Amino acid sequence: MIKPLKNFLPLAISAAIASAATAQDLVLEEVVVTAQKRVERLQDVPISVNAVSGAKMEEAGITNLEGMTAYVPNLTMNQTGIGTIIAIRGISSGINQGFEQSVGQYVDGVYYGRAQLARAPFMDLERVEVLRGPQSILFGKNSIGGAISMVTAKPTEEFEGQVTALYEPTHGEKDLRVVLSGPLTDTLSGRLSLMGRDMDGYYDNTTLDRDESGDKEQVIRGQLKWDASEDLTVNLKLETGSFDTKGRNLEPINPVTGAGGLSYQQTLSLLTGGQYQLDTEQDFKRQSNGDFSNNDTENATLTIDYALGEHTLTAITGYNAYNYEEDCDCDFTGATIFTADSREDFKQFSQEIRIASPGGETIDYIGGLFYQSSEMTFDDAIRVPSTSLLGGLSTLLLGTASQRDFTQDSDLWAGFAQATWNINDAWRLTVGGRYTSESKDATRTQHHTNTLGNDVGSSDILLNTVYTSFRLEPYPTIEDKRSEGAFTPLVTMQWDATDDMMLYATYTEGFKSGGFDVRSNAHPDPTYGVNIIANPVGPVIIQTTAANGFQAGVFEYEEEKAKSFEIGSKMTLADGAAELNAAIFRTQITDMQTSQFDGVLGFNVTNAGEATTQGLELDGRWLVASGLTLSGSLGFLDFTFDKFPNSQCYFGQTPNSATYPGLCDLKGETREFAPEFQGTLSADYSQPMGDNLEWRITGDVNFSDSYFTSPTLDPNLEQDAYAKLNLRLAMGSQDGMWEVALVGKNLTDESISTFGNQLPVSTTLTRATNVAVGNGPIASTAYYSFYERPRSIALQGTLRF
């Protein structure tokens, strides 16, 4: 009886939709996208793509990419202690400033590949399109995991303006946005967009007695559109912005004590004379001596569209730059142990030229050339303050530091083309390809400095011995260069099975270039440097890294490749009142680039071997009645490592790699941020009140299956399944000129962890302390985790004119 019921249920739902909609003659508003560099209906695009409108983002209070992930299945974004991770279908790059992201961001066609830019605030967007799977033909620098295309709102031919303000008292959030747009002359129009947002935060830092993280964001964007002639249109966009924070949204959790040894809490208490205890209860409280991140951005985009006969010639010139300075109290406790500061300066120039044929011909095509160059400088330091607990190991450590400098220049050329053969009214065949050639030059230096700030090289036995026990090895400048090229093809077959159903099948390949590791703390030569066998408080025994089993560092890593298959459908139901889209995918990845915590202070880039990610994605809309729309999306994901013999083990795990001593084999395991199920259910209902007013209620339920938040798959860092409720109640004029709303987020008050790892130096300090008190070489640890914002209710007002 179960199987017939399962087969009958979809038919019954479709019949109910059809009868309800036909009776009321309802039709959904079309969604238009530019996922294939042409203006097309979403239902005609043979790609698994979600489009979120700027209006939806404003209403839901989505202020950055992290907030959007709740509405797009199989998309995750997670901030870490020193980086940002974006993943689509489980494919992501790890924590390293050397990475371009596996998921590329594109703003008005310009590639934003740096992880830090994922934190930049959203403002005055027309829509955001999320394309899942390798996007290796039409999107600037190819993206192996997927693409996030952001389209800013453009100048209008008629004058219009909007002011939106939001206030949330519990966490001290204030958000003000102003937009002015309209004609300046008969052929010139402009748009000015301003945003200012700040928030006290939802964490209580009990050490400094302040709320964290204190966010402050500002953006100024100006645009000009010049209709020079019937054939020529020029758009210029200039933007400057900043996003700064004080503190971090994390706290220590889940201490683990080695058998017979002192816990990390007891160790800190012992080293501070009983003045400090570690709070490890998840309560949105943290202890820290202060963190900050100050970020400044600027970008300019010039877009020229020229009608060349019936063809369109497009040129996009992009300049993108940012710099940031961060200070991290990266022991993540209120005790004074060490600090980590970093600075990065990045500049990028790109030029794309493409030509597109008129649509609707027997052969439609698009092709072009792409060039991009970039320069990056990065430096960071691990510093031991004058009041650090590490003075208990040796007072000569106080005021010292281990510093690193990194530079990288890169140049990329690419040629691309894609053509669609409209075989007949029902069948279309699309083939495409891109050849990419990329070169990179990089340098890296690691050195220790004394209390006077002078470089001690390898002459100071104490500093080099103690710092190397934390896997910080001094070495002269390493430099190298690499060049590589790749061809990435695409083949898609589309079939209009009926007037209301399109089916497609796609094969494509993705490529992400190799590069150079920024954050590895050890020399890549395993025989280089000095170390100690046991602990810095016992006898000093100097041996090579290889002799005592410490992992060597990393400098160069190899390219990552993917082969992807996707079968999907786009369906229009109930005479246009409903839509249902589905995609089944399977992607095989080789030499996957990952970043692994070295267990102390650093991260090493590793090519993980092989992995397979496969699953199902569904999304749909249903205009049930006039004023009532239901929508939803669901992602099912199965990510499995087929080969990964060199993964870091989690604390307490027995190493099981047959080829890499001291490491663990993750073959057959999943990865972090890859929940099996993830989705959203939404309802939007509006109803007039009298002659002039309208009220509206919008509700979303965002749900997720459990997932690991650490790359080591530590069971102490697993997020449980959850369902989060967001609700918006609004009243305004029927003509849309004003509106007042209450915006509730996470009304179910779920505790949602977005990233976790071991507390840095916790195992090293407890091992040393346990030896010093005669407990043997036993280590303990504790963890830290980032948490999403708890329940919040804000007042939002909008005025349009």
Side-chain angles (χ1 to χ4, degrees), residues 12 48 121 177 179 331 337 363 381 417 419 457-458 471 521 540 638 712 779 790:
S48 179
R177 301 169 188 239
V179 176
D331 52 69
I337 303 176
I363 303 290
S458 58
R471 303 185 185 178
N521 287 330
V540 176
D638 175 20
T712 63

Side-chain angles (χ1 to χ4, degrees), residues 33 35 62 88 96 129 307 319 343 363 402 459 539 560 564 653 691 717 742-743 756:
V33 297
I62 298 173
I88 288 181
N96 200 284
E129 302 172 17
Y319 172 76
R343 287 148 297 278
I363 303 290
S402 182
S459 62
E560 177 180 292
S564 183
Q653 184 179 16
D691 295 332
L717 292 169
L742 284 176
V743 182

Side-chain angles (χ1 to χ4, degrees), residues 110-347:
V110 176
Y111 177 66
Y112 283 37
R114 311 300 302 175
Q116 197 76 2
L117 291 173
R119 303 186 183 189
F122 284 179
M123 195 253 307
D124 194 25
L125 294 178
E126 181 180 311
R127 67 184 180 279
V128 176
E129 302 172 17
V130 180
L131 293 74
R132 292 178 285 252
Q135 304 300 317
S136 52
I137 311 299
L138 299 179
F139 275 89
K141 193 175 190 298
N142 48 289
S143 296
I144 196 170
I148 301 172
S149 177
M150 306 177 196
V151 181
T152 61
K154 299 299 185 292
T156 54
E157 296 181 357
E158 300 293 333
F159 176 77
E160 63 180 42
Q162 178 175 316
V163 178
T164 302
L166 179 143
Y167 176 64
E168 194 279 326
T170 305
H171 306 138
E173 181 183 12
K174 297 177 284 293
D175 190 315
L176 178 64
R177 301 169 188 239
V178 179
V179 176
L180 297 172
S181 180
L184 302 175
T185 70
D186 291 342
T187 60
L188 185 68
S189 57
R191 190 178 187 94
L192 177 65
S193 308
L194 308 172
M195 187 208 76
R197 176 180 177 269
D198 60 78
M199 182 170 70
D200 296 336
Y202 53 90
Y203 263 91
D204 178 15
N205 185 334
T206 59
T207 305
L208 300 178
D209 190 26
R210 71 179 189 186
D211 293 330
E212 292 183 351
S213 64
D215 300 338
K216 187 179 177 96
E217 301 171 349
Q218 295 179 336
V219 179
I220 301 174
R221 180 191 302 150
Q223 297 187 75
L224 292 173
K225 179 184 178 184
W226 179 34
D227 294 315
S229 68
E230 292 184 357
D231 297 330
L232 178 63
T233 301
V234 180
N235 286 271
L236 175 64
K237 180 187 71 177
L238 301 174
E239 181 180 290
T240 182
S242 64
F243 51 101
D244 305 332
T245 63
K246 291 183 179 180
R248 295 174 187 270
N249 299 324
L250 65 81
E251 58 186 301
I253 58 169
N254 300 344
V256 176
T257 304
L262 297 178
S263 68
Y264 190 40
Q265 299 99 308
Q266 292 170 319
T267 296
L268 291 177
S269 179
L270 181 64
L271 293 175
T272 59
Q275 297 181 10
Y276 186 81
Q277 289 287 337
L278 185 67
D279 180 8
T280 55
E281 177 185 2
Q282 203 281 300
D283 53 7
F284 293 102
K285 294 182 179 180
R286 66 185 303 252
Q287 301 82 39
S288 171
N289 297 297
D291 311 74
F292 67 82
S293 176
N294 295 331
N295 303 261
D296 296 301
T297 64
E298 56 185 33
N299 65 76
T301 304
L302 178 66
T303 304
I304 300 173
D305 290 304
Y306 180 64
L308 196 64
E310 293 186 343
H311 290 65
T312 300
L313 182 67
T314 300
I316 302 176
T317 305
Y319 172 76
N320 175 30
Y322 69 85
N323 64 78
Y324 72 80
E325 181 177 0
E326 292 188 343
D327 190 272
C328 177
D329 185 20
C330 274
D331 52 69
F332 301 137
T333 72
T336 303
I337 303 176
F338 75 94
T339 63
D341 56 74
S342 61
R343 287 148 297 278
E344 183 177 345
D345 193 346
F346 178 82
K347 295 180 175 64

Side-chain angles (χ1 to χ4, degrees), residues 399-410:
T400 65
S402 182
Q403 302 187 52
R404 170 176 36 223
D405 302 297
F406 180 90
T407 67
Q408 179 174 280
D409 297 334
S410 70

